[in-house]
Amino acid sequence: MRIHFIAIGGSAMHNLALALHHKGYQISGSDDVIFEPSKSRLADKGLLPESFGWFPEKIDHKIDAVILGMHAKPDNVELQRAQKLGLKIYSYPEFLYEQSKYKTRVVIGGSHGKTTITSMILHVLNYYNKEVDYMVGAQLDGFDRMVHLTETNDFIVLEGDEYLSSPIDRRPKFHLYQPNIALLSGIAWDHINVFPTFENYKEQFSIFVESIVQGGSITYNEEDSVLRDVVDSSERTIRKFPYQTPTFKVVNGETLINTPDGEMPLEIFGSHNLNNLAGAKWICQHMGIDELDFYEAIASFKGAAKRLEKIAENEKTVVFKDYAHSPSKVAATTKAVKEQYPDRKLMACLELHTYSSLNAEFLKEYKKTLEYADIAVVYYSPDAVKIKQLEEVTEIQISEAFAKDKLQVYTNAMSFKDFLFNQNLENTVLLLMSSGNYGGLDFDSIKI
């Protein structure tokens, strides 16, 4: 097949392009800008566009399908050309469904933890050399790509994102997968530019539950009362498997989990990660992995990229970076780090970077999310607010919203970096939470 990607440079899109190239498809693509590591990875396989921009002459009748990325606009000239020619146009999730409609689809959804849970499942399956197709939202150790597709594997494991499918398909991605085996980790309002009310956001998860194939299953975090109500209210003919955070303790900075064979040390920590582990265990059991075998494999799981990733450590200091940006993730991550290092000072830095986090009305959702930090810092760029065409937010609004004593707020990237690099980090854990980079912070430059 000949496939053309409109907006090939995105994290998800370029991984799908690489996966289809590996499968033997003919791949072409366009984008107006491509950053690293996508640029180098596409170039390595000869898939990097010769010139950046949109070129309608690339679109002809020889193309079997076009895959449209979210970075493109509805009036994209290549898209308009494809529509005029009557070519088959897929969103990213639509095409993944087409590639997996004869497989057993395992879909991991939820407002938080889905990348980690998907990563845990793939780690365990890889540990036992159990071949599956997959799509995950982070680069994993031991995996060449974030997407892998074959003709032969029976299972596909899909991270189920609730964000929109494409510029011309306003359905959430996870509505399109029709899972046989599903998991939901929790529901916490996000993406307010698309789902302006919590009830509207919650409804998307109800639709997801109803999309599970008849006779399938839903594994869900019963500690989340909103999610529990969503699952309990479904009359779909599916099996329901609740899970909760397992018993664990922290001893001398090491997390020990209770298993049928006794206490077992883990590389990961935090009650939210242990909750994720419980969900991953259920899914692996549905896929044929025994409970004790799961524990043997998960003991070596170090976490997904950018999820509580340790970037520096010595005897007196440890530095983590984390993708956390939504209120529930910020609260869970900050608490986890403090519980893991109770005798150290915790300096928690958060960048407000997403559309939701920079929304003046949404800011109140961050109340008390940094309460476990000894030193709490928030950075945001007023330019980012303008680019997103949002109402201006002030330092006073942020301080009031977080309700954290002595909260420090920075709006200038250089000032934030000067502050950071002049801190005495002795007996300290530094936690850097962001889906961005604090206006250009080189994380590798953080030396301790």
Side-chain angles (χ1 to χ4, degrees):
M1 289 184 69
R2 184 180 165 196
I3 308 292
H4 181 78
F5 284 74
I6 300 177
I8 195 172
S11 176
M13 289 284 280
H14 94 275
N15 271 284
L16 180 56
L18 292 171
L20 294 178
H21 173 75
H22 180 76
K23 195 176 177 181
Y25 287 31
Q26 289 182 277
I27 302 299
S28 62
S30 299
D31 216 324
D32 56 357
V33 61
I34 300 178
F35 299 106
E36 296 293 353
S38 304
K39 187 175 180 181
S40 295
R41 299 182 78 211
L42 288 170
D44 183 58
K45 299 300 181 183
L47 302 181
L48 185 68
E50 293 182 5
S51 301
F52 290 159
W54 312 112
F55 305 96
E57 61 270 20
K58 287 186 177 183
I59 310 298
D60 57 43
H61 283 294
K62 295 179 182 179
I63 293 175
D64 294 295
V66 170
I67 301 178
L68 178 63
M70 275 299 298
H71 176 61
K73 305 297 183 188
D75 62 354
N76 182 281
V77 292
E78 292 188 14
L79 171 60
Q80 291 178 335
R81 173 69 175 165
Q83 290 170 326
K84 183 176 180 180
L85 293 178
L87 300 181
K88 181 62 181 176
I89 301 168
Y90 292 96
S91 66
Y92 181 89
E94 274 184 311
F95 194 82
L96 283 175
Y97 176 76
E98 283 298 312
Q99 292 278 304
S100 62
K101 59 186 177 183
Y102 301 116
K103 299 176 183 289
T104 299
R105 292 173 301 283
V106 181
V107 181
I108 311 302
S111 303
H112 44 72
K114 52 185 173 286
T115 297
T116 297
I117 295 172
T118 309
S119 301
M120 287 176 171
I121 295 164
L122 293 176
H123 174 86
V124 171
L125 296 173
N126 189 54
Y127 184 91
Y128 291 108
N129 298 312
K130 189 175 178 66
E131 289 285 335
V132 297
D133 290 4
Y134 59 83
M135 182 275 290
V136 63
Q139 191 63 49
L140 307 181
D141 288 339
F143 293 81
D144 294 333
R145 297 176 304 278
M146 292 158 58
V147 181
H148 179 61
L149 300 169
T150 69
E151 298 291 345
T152 55
N153 289 336
D154 294 328
F155 285 96
I156 184 168
V157 181
L158 297 163
E159 180 177 331
D161 184 7
E162 70 270 24
Y163 201 65
L164 303 180
S165 296
S166 86
I168 60 173
D169 186 346
R170 308 292 287 178
R171 292 174 294 175
K173 294 184 183 75
F174 69 165
H175 288 181
L176 279 65
Y177 295 136
Q178 299 179 40
N180 305 89
I181 300 170
L183 178 143
L184 286 175
S185 60
I187 300 175
W189 191 23
D190 201 356
H191 309 305
I192 67 168
N193 55 319
V194 179
F195 310 112
T197 68
F198 177 70
E199 285 303 316
N200 180 226
Y201 181 73
K202 174 184 171 183
E203 181 185 6
Q204 310 313 311
F205 293 87
S206 296
I207 295 171
F208 173 74
V209 173
E210 297 307 308
S211 76
I212 299 170
V213 300
Q214 295 283 2
S217 68
I218 176 69
T219 298
Y220 65 100
N221 174 18
E222 66 175 340
E223 293 173 3
D224 186 313
S225 59
V226 176
L227 173 57
R228 189 170 62 244
D229 290 343
V230 165
V231 175
D232 287 347
S233 64
S234 173
E235 297 180 359
R236 189 79 169 165
T237 308
I238 53 176
R239 293 167 294 155
K240 300 176 181 180
F241 298 96
Y243 68 89
Q244 56 185 233
T245 305
T247 304
F248 71 98
K249 63 183 179 182
V250 179
V251 180
N252 297 323
E254 184 177 57
T255 295
L256 303 172
I257 185 175
N258 283 345
T259 78
D261 275 354
E263 294 179 341
M264 184 187 79
L266 295 170
E267 296 281 350
I268 57 172
F269 63 87
S271 59
H272 67 300
N273 271 331
L274 275 292
N275 186 271
N276 293 336
L277 182 150
K281 180 172 74 71
W282 264 114
I283 297 300
C284 286
Q285 288 178 273
H286 294 329
M287 298 177 71
I289 303 294
D290 290 339
E291 182 179 25
L292 292 178
D293 289 337
F294 172 85
Y295 284 122
E296 177 184 331
I298 206 65
S300 57
F301 179 73
K302 295 184 184 334
K306 300 181 182 178
R307 272 69 177 180
L308 266 180
E309 181 178 354
K310 187 184 294 182
I311 60 175
E313 183 179 26
N314 60 28
E315 291 182 357
K316 299 179 180 179
T317 308
V318 60
V319 183
F320 290 96
K321 67 176 179 179
D322 192 90
Y323 190 71
H325 52 86
S326 68
S328 61
K329 296 174 186 175
V330 171
T333 300
T334 307
K335 180 183 178 184
V337 173
K338 188 61 178 179
E339 289 178 344
Q340 190 74 5
Y341 299 91
D343 299 326
R344 293 194 182 190
K345 180 173 62 179
L346 171 58
M347 181 186 297
C349 302
L350 169 67
E351 178 180 14
L352 300 178
H353 180 71
T354 64
Y355 185 101
S356 295
S357 68
L358 291 170
N359 183 286
E361 179 63 24
F362 189 76
L363 270 175
K364 64 179 182 293
E365 301 292 325
Y366 284 95
K367 185 177 181 179
K368 298 294 185 181
T369 56
L370 293 174
E371 65 176 316
Y372 285 91
D374 299 294
I375 299 175
V377 183
V378 170
Y379 166 80
Y380 79 99
S381 169
D383 289 337
V385 178
K386 293 177 183 177
I387 290 171
K388 292 176 170 62
Q389 298 181 331
L390 292 168
E391 178 185 339
E392 181 181 358
V393 292
T394 67
E395 295 181 31
I396 293 175
Q397 282 177 293
I398 289 173
S399 295
E400 291 177 349
F402 277 83
K404 173 67 177 176
D405 290 340
K406 299 180 180 180
L407 178 72
Q408 301 181 57
V409 181
Y410 287 88
T411 60
N412 179 277
M414 286 304 300
S415 298
F416 170 73
K417 282 185 270 191
D418 288 343
F419 160 80
L420 187 63
F421 289 119
N422 283 291
Q423 293 300 303
N424 178 1
L425 297 180
E426 186 170 332
N427 196 37
T428 298
V429 181
L430 172 60
L431 172 61
L432 297 165
M433 296 176 285
S434 177
S435 59
N437 64 1
Y438 295 90
L441 176 65
D442 179 5
F443 291 100
D444 293 333
S445 68
I446 299 175
K447 307 296 182 184
I448 57 175

